[in-house]
Amino acid sequence: MEGETSPFESSEMLASFLASTPLLSESWKLCSHANAATPQIFVSKRIGEVSYVAFSGVQRVAGLDLGCRRSLVAVDTAAAGIFPALQRYGSEAEEPVMVHAGMLRLFLSMINNFQTQVFDIMKESKLVVFTGHSLGGTMASLSALWLLSHPQSTTTVLSLTFGTPLLGNVTLSRAILQERWGGNFCHVVGKHDIVPRLLLAPLSPLTPHLHSLLQSLTSPYFGLLTLELSDEGKNSLFRLVLSSVEALAKSGESIGRDSFCPFGNYVFCTNEGAICLDNVVAVVKMLHLMFATGCATSCIEDHLNYEAYVGKVSSEFLKSRGFAERELPESSYEVGVTLALHSSEIDCRGPVWEPAKDCLKTAKRMGHAPNIKSANLAKVLSKFTPLRAQIEWYKASCDVSDDRKGYYDTFKLRGPSKKDGKVDMNRRKLARFWDDLIQMLDTNQLPHDFHRRAKWVNASQFYKLLVEPLDIAEYYRTGMHREKGHYVTHGRERRYKLFDRWWGNRKVGEEENSQRNRYASLTQDSCFWARVEEARDWIEIVRSESDSRKLTLIWKNIDNFEQYARSLVQKKEVSIDVLAENSSYSLWMKELRELKSQLQQFSPQFPGFFGRGAIP
């Protein structure tokens, strides 16, 4: 039996809030006014301390191709500076945040005239609701993303859309969750409305007939679908979208990199009430299950039926309803599921009742599991603390060793000792723990704000500063730099790059900006030793290179690193092992002084080779 807990906690709380307030009805009224007020792009209205901004759904948008990757564009290139918070996302293994190119162009065309009015509205409001029907909904979502990326005040922002097409890729959906913005977006979707499903899945190349059909749907306007399609055209379109959504829903896999992806909360409306879901997989499955009960005619007409839906949701959503010819389940959890499915108008005797029930149960399980796994990970981390402590002890012993090589060089030049072998084993075990954690995060098994929790940000940073120097030592000890290239560019593990991002996005307190009065326990640049290794290579190149242009460039690199290292030392952001007499850094500085001295004796005509730094 499933646990006796609230099955759809966050999404149902939002749905209950919307149903018990005038937000839905007032938003739809203004959307209707905006659609009728074309060519006005948006209209606004203030009711008490709540301001509504509604965008017209009757707009041109170019480049609407079903499932076409060409219609997606990265926000960091197409709209640099507009969504700064979203530009942090994306890596070698993940695409950047991408949105529909035509929709983004439309938003950018109005932002200059729009932003001044919005800032004025925010000054007098506690809540600003961006709303829109169809394409107007995508403008509402982009406006909310814009304001959330530029927090200007304490004003709350809500995007409330009706029958809107999908906007962006899976990275956008993930970024919204990780920024904790999921509750700021609510999409009202009609039971059979085709528009929210239209861009859901990648499709095979279209036939000329279907391509012409789509052009007729998007010309002159995407927002209001024409009802003049032939019966054959409606049937073709319905079958096309249904097969695509069905294939994606049945796969049970995450949405692909090349696909559009839902985000935020989805309120599925019928004549009986509504269901609210916020899990992407469950949303996709419900989009299919409801759409499958429709037909070619209803999938077009339902796009214009939101006035009836809003009225029904506002009056019926919070009321208890009976279960005709169906015995009430004994479990309170099953009651909650049955109530939700009753609102969906899915026939309890039909073939999709059980799949729909499984869909809602999946949403519930996936909502609780991440927090449970996060709690269990904290326990696992505590078991790895002794491994970390052993490495700390090893570093302390290196710092006071008679050979004066320091932590990095002792490990790099180690022999077959038991102590060194133990440290190497601990290094590998810790790497597996953090790689497994990142895999869980990548596959949505952990809370979406996991990377912002202070416990894990601090733990990952300490691990990186302590262990990455050992990874660098192993990389150069085994000669990997000769096979792949230097560490920073060609050998650094993805986990360290992610931890850099986590640390960079944390909230910085005033105490972190204070001046150090002693050397750090760990060098604050975990790649410092890799930079030293590169600098040692530059010294060797200088000794053999005869091309003056290449020499000038190399000396510039040497000079830049020398200045950077001196700055770290002056600010005491290095550990004392950096300054050990026989450390790689100290030996490099000694080589550099000797080289500069030789060049000054034999090549005084090339003073530019010596850079800006004075010879120590």
Side-chain angles (χ1 to χ4, degrees), residues 426-445:
N426 291 349
R427 175 182 70 90
R428 297 175 187 273
K429 287 181 178 179
L430 287 170
R432 283 198 296 271
F433 167 77
W434 287 104
D435 284 342
D436 289 344
L437 181 150
I438 290 170
Q439 176 65 22
M440 294 172 68
L441 194 60
D442 286 342
T443 53
N444 297 320
Q445 297 180 54

mmCIF file of all heavy atoms in Angstrom, residues 426-445:
data_model
loop_
_atom_site.group_PDB
_atom_site.id
_atom_site.type_symbol
_atom_site.label_atom_id
_atom_site.label_comp_id
_atom_site.label_asym_id
_atom_site.label_seq_id
_atom_site.Cartn_x
_atom_site.Cartn_y
_atom_site.Cartn_z
ATOM 1 N N ASN A 426 41.953 6.163 -0.868
ATOM 2 C CA ASN A 426 40.933 7.068 -0.337
ATOM 3 C C ASN A 426 40.519 8.098 -1.384
ATOM 4 O O ASN A 426 39.338 8.467 -1.494
ATOM 5 C CB ASN A 426 41.449 7.781 0.906
ATOM 6 C CG ASN A 426 41.604 6.832 2.093
ATOM 7 O OD1 ASN A 426 41.137 5.693 2.036
ATOM 8 N ND2 ASN A 426 42.264 7.288 3.140
ATOM 9 N N ARG A 427 41.496 8.583 -2.135
ATOM 10 C CA ARG A 427 41.211 9.543 -3.210
ATOM 11 C C ARG A 427 40.234 8.944 -4.222
ATOM 12 O O ARG A 427 39.272 9.610 -4.657
ATOM 13 C CB ARG A 427 42.520 9.924 -3.912
ATOM 14 C CG ARG A 427 42.375 10.815 -5.126
ATOM 15 C CD ARG A 427 43.725 11.085 -5.762
ATOM 16 N NE ARG A 427 44.274 9.889 -6.394
ATOM 17 C CZ ARG A 427 44.063 9.554 -7.664
ATOM 18 N NH1 ARG A 427 43.288 10.315 -8.426
ATOM 19 N NH2 ARG A 427 44.615 8.475 -8.173
ATOM 20 N N ARG A 428 40.435 7.699 -4.591
ATOM 21 C CA ARG A 428 39.558 7.038 -5.572
ATOM 22 C C ARG A 428 38.164 6.782 -5.003
ATOM 23 O O ARG A 428 37.158 6.929 -5.703
ATOM 24 C CB ARG A 428 40.200 5.734 -6.042
ATOM 25 C CG ARG A 428 41.529 5.929 -6.775
ATOM 26 C CD ARG A 428 42.179 4.596 -7.121
ATOM 27 N NE ARG A 428 43.513 4.781 -7.670
ATOM 28 C CZ ARG A 428 43.766 4.986 -8.961
ATOM 29 N NH1 ARG A 428 42.769 5.031 -9.822
ATOM 30 N NH2 ARG A 428 45.008 5.139 -9.386
ATOM 31 N N LYS A 429 38.097 6.392 -3.739
ATOM 32 C CA LYS A 429 36.794 6.140 -3.119
ATOM 33 C C LYS A 429 35.969 7.430 -3.033
ATOM 34 O O LYS A 429 34.753 7.421 -3.294
ATOM 35 C CB LYS A 429 36.986 5.541 -1.726
ATOM 36 C CG LYS A 429 37.463 4.095 -1.727
ATOM 37 C CD LYS A 429 37.594 3.569 -0.297
ATOM 38 C CE LYS A 429 38.024 2.108 -0.288
ATOM 39 N NZ LYS A 429 38.180 1.583 1.095
ATOM 40 N N LEU A 430 36.614 8.511 -2.646
ATOM 41 C CA LEU A 430 35.897 9.786 -2.577
ATOM 42 C C LEU A 430 35.419 10.232 -3.953
ATOM 43 O O LEU A 430 34.311 10.771 -4.103
ATOM 44 C CB LEU A 430 36.798 10.856 -1.962
ATOM 45 C CG LEU A 430 37.049 10.736 -0.459
ATOM 46 C CD1 LEU A 430 38.144 11.706 -0.016
ATOM 47 C CD2 LEU A 430 35.770 10.987 0.332
ATOM 48 N N ALA A 431 36.212 10.006 -4.985
ATOM 49 C CA ALA A 431 35.810 10.366 -6.351
ATOM 50 C C ALA A 431 34.567 9.588 -6.759
ATOM 51 O O ALA A 431 33.646 10.146 -7.374
ATOM 52 C CB ALA A 431 36.952 10.091 -7.318
ATOM 53 N N ARG A 432 34.522 8.282 -6.416
ATOM 54 C CA ARG A 432 33.347 7.476 -6.774
ATOM 55 C C ARG A 432 32.100 7.980 -6.062
ATOM 56 O O ARG A 432 31.009 8.029 -6.648
ATOM 57 C CB ARG A 432 33.587 5.999 -6.426
ATOM 58 C CG ARG A 432 34.481 5.272 -7.417
ATOM 59 C CD ARG A 432 34.342 3.762 -7.281
ATOM 60 N NE ARG A 432 34.789 3.296 -5.968
ATOM 61 C CZ ARG A 432 36.036 2.954 -5.686
ATOM 62 N NH1 ARG A 432 36.973 3.038 -6.627
ATOM 63 N NH2 ARG A 432 36.360 2.529 -4.473
ATOM 64 N N PHE A 433 32.250 8.370 -4.793
ATOM 65 C CA PHE A 433 31.097 8.899 -4.058
ATOM 66 C C PHE A 433 30.538 10.140 -4.736
ATOM 67 O O PHE A 433 29.324 10.245 -4.982
ATOM 68 C CB PHE A 433 31.499 9.225 -2.617
ATOM 69 C CG PHE A 433 30.474 10.051 -1.884
ATOM 70 C CD1 PHE A 433 29.325 9.472 -1.391
ATOM 71 C CD2 PHE A 433 30.644 11.428 -1.716
ATOM 72 C CE1 PHE A 433 28.359 10.243 -0.733
ATOM 73 C CE2 PHE A 433 29.701 12.197 -1.059
ATOM 74 C CZ PHE A 433 28.549 11.596 -0.562
ATOM 75 N N TRP A 434 31.403 11.102 -5.067
ATOM 76 C CA TRP A 434 30.928 12.353 -5.655
ATOM 77 C C TRP A 434 30.433 12.144 -7.081
ATOM 78 O O TRP A 434 29.465 12.800 -7.503
ATOM 79 C CB TRP A 434 32.027 13.403 -5.600
ATOM 80 C CG TRP A 434 32.254 13.932 -4.217
ATOM 81 C CD1 TRP A 434 33.276 13.637 -3.372
ATOM 82 C CD2 TRP A 434 31.397 14.835 -3.503
ATOM 83 N NE1 TRP A 434 33.129 14.297 -2.175
ATOM 84 C CE2 TRP A 434 31.981 15.054 -2.230
ATOM 85 C CE3 TRP A 434 30.209 15.488 -3.813
ATOM 86 C CZ2 TRP A 434 31.414 15.885 -1.279
ATOM 87 C CZ3 TRP A 434 29.638 16.335 -2.860
ATOM 88 C CH2 TRP A 434 30.232 16.530 -1.615
ATOM 89 N N ASP A 435 31.036 11.239 -7.834
ATOM 90 C CA ASP A 435 30.544 10.954 -9.189
ATOM 91 C C ASP A 435 29.166 10.305 -9.138
ATOM 92 O O ASP A 435 28.296 10.607 -9.962
ATOM 93 C CB ASP A 435 31.523 10.047 -9.937
ATOM 94 C CG ASP A 435 32.762 10.792 -10.415
ATOM 95 O OD1 ASP A 435 32.716 12.039 -10.467
ATOM 96 O OD2 ASP A 435 33.769 10.129 -10.733
ATOM 97 N N ASP A 436 28.962 9.411 -8.177
ATOM 98 C CA ASP A 436 27.640 8.791 -8.020
ATOM 99 C C ASP A 436 26.604 9.841 -7.634
ATOM 100 O O ASP A 436 25.453 9.810 -8.110
ATOM 101 C CB ASP A 436 27.684 7.692 -6.955
ATOM 102 C CG ASP A 436 28.461 6.469 -7.409
ATOM 103 O OD1 ASP A 436 28.704 6.338 -8.628
ATOM 104 O OD2 ASP A 436 28.842 5.644 -6.549
ATOM 105 N N LEU A 437 26.991 10.756 -6.770
ATOM 106 C CA LEU A 437 26.078 11.830 -6.365
ATOM 107 C C LEU A 437 25.683 12.685 -7.571
ATOM 108 O O LEU A 437 24.498 13.016 -7.754
ATOM 109 C CB LEU A 437 26.741 12.682 -5.284
ATOM 110 C CG LEU A 437 25.951 13.845 -4.693
ATOM 111 C CD1 LEU A 437 26.369 14.075 -3.244
ATOM 112 C CD2 LEU A 437 26.162 15.146 -5.467
ATOM 113 N N ILE A 438 26.650 13.030 -8.401
ATOM 114 C CA ILE A 438 26.362 13.850 -9.582
ATOM 115 C C ILE A 438 25.462 13.093 -10.554
ATOM 116 O O ILE A 438 24.561 13.669 -11.176
ATOM 117 C CB ILE A 438 27.673 14.278 -10.252
ATOM 118 C CG1 ILE A 438 28.403 15.292 -9.359
ATOM 119 C CG2 ILE A 438 27.416 14.894 -11.631
ATOM 120 C CD1 ILE A 438 29.804 15.606 -9.803
ATOM 121 N N GLN A 439 25.685 11.769 -10.690
ATOM 122 C CA GLN A 439 24.823 10.965 -11.549
ATOM 123 C C GLN A 439 23.383 11.000 -11.052
ATOM 124 O O GLN A 439 22.436 11.098 -11.845
ATOM 125 C CB GLN A 439 25.343 9.524 -11.591
ATOM 126 C CG GLN A 439 24.476 8.555 -12.370
ATOM 127 C CD GLN A 439 24.404 8.884 -13.854
ATOM 128 O OE1 GLN A 439 25.282 9.554 -14.377
ATOM 129 N NE2 GLN A 439 23.358 8.418 -14.517
ATOM 130 N N MET A 440 23.199 10.928 -9.744
ATOM 131 C CA MET A 440 21.858 11.010 -9.172
ATOM 132 C C MET A 440 21.238 12.376 -9.437
ATOM 133 O O MET A 440 20.038 12.483 -9.713
ATOM 134 C CB MET A 440 21.922 10.734 -7.668
ATOM 135 C CG MET A 440 22.346 9.323 -7.308
ATOM 136 S SD MET A 440 22.636 9.111 -5.531
ATOM 137 C CE MET A 440 20.982 9.285 -4.898
ATOM 138 N N LEU A 441 22.042 13.412 -9.361
ATOM 139 C CA LEU A 441 21.541 14.760 -9.625
ATOM 140 C C LEU A 441 21.164 14.916 -11.096
ATOM 141 O O LEU A 441 20.134 15.510 -11.427
ATOM 142 C CB LEU A 441 22.601 15.786 -9.238
ATOM 143 C CG LEU A 441 22.175 17.253 -9.134
ATOM 144 C CD1 LEU A 441 21.083 17.421 -8.091
ATOM 145 C CD2 LEU A 441 23.356 18.134 -8.791
ATOM 146 N N ASP A 442 21.974 14.361 -11.988
ATOM 147 C CA ASP A 442 21.705 14.450 -13.424
ATOM 148 C C ASP A 442 20.413 13.729 -13.800
ATOM 149 O O ASP A 442 19.719 14.126 -14.747
ATOM 150 C CB ASP A 442 22.861 13.857 -14.229
ATOM 151 C CG ASP A 442 24.087 14.760 -14.238
ATOM 152 O OD1 ASP A 442 23.937 15.956 -13.923
ATOM 153 O OD2 ASP A 442 25.187 14.268 -14.548
ATOM 154 N N THR A 443 20.096 12.667 -13.104
ATOM 155 C CA THR A 443 18.911 11.868 -13.425
ATOM 156 C C THR A 443 17.719 12.229 -12.547
ATOM 157 O O THR A 443 16.781 11.443 -12.408
ATOM 158 C CB THR A 443 19.233 10.376 -13.275
ATOM 159 O OG1 THR A 443 19.780 10.120 -11.967
ATOM 160 C CG2 THR A 443 20.244 9.931 -14.323
ATOM 161 N N ASN A 444 17.761 13.426 -11.933
ATOM 162 C CA ASN A 444 16.636 13.965 -11.159
ATOM 163 C C ASN A 444 16.248 13.082 -9.971
ATOM 164 O O ASN A 444 15.084 13.029 -9.583
ATOM 165 C CB ASN A 444 15.412 14.176 -12.065
ATOM 166 C CG ASN A 444 15.665 15.199 -13.136
ATOM 167 O OD1 ASN A 444 16.299 16.218 -12.891
ATOM 168 N ND2 ASN A 444 15.189 14.931 -14.342
ATOM 169 N N GLN A 445 17.234 12.394 -9.369
ATOM 170 C CA GLN A 445 16.947 11.589 -8.189
ATOM 171 C C GLN A 445 17.118 12.373 -6.893
ATOM 172 O O GLN A 445 16.807 11.865 -5.821
ATOM 173 C CB GLN A 445 17.877 10.369 -8.162
ATOM 174 C CG GLN A 445 17.701 9.418 -9.337
ATOM 175 C CD GLN A 445 18.642 8.237 -9.254
ATOM 176 O OE1 GLN A 445 18.680 7.526 -8.244
ATOM 177 N NE2 GLN A 445 19.419 8.018 -10.302
#
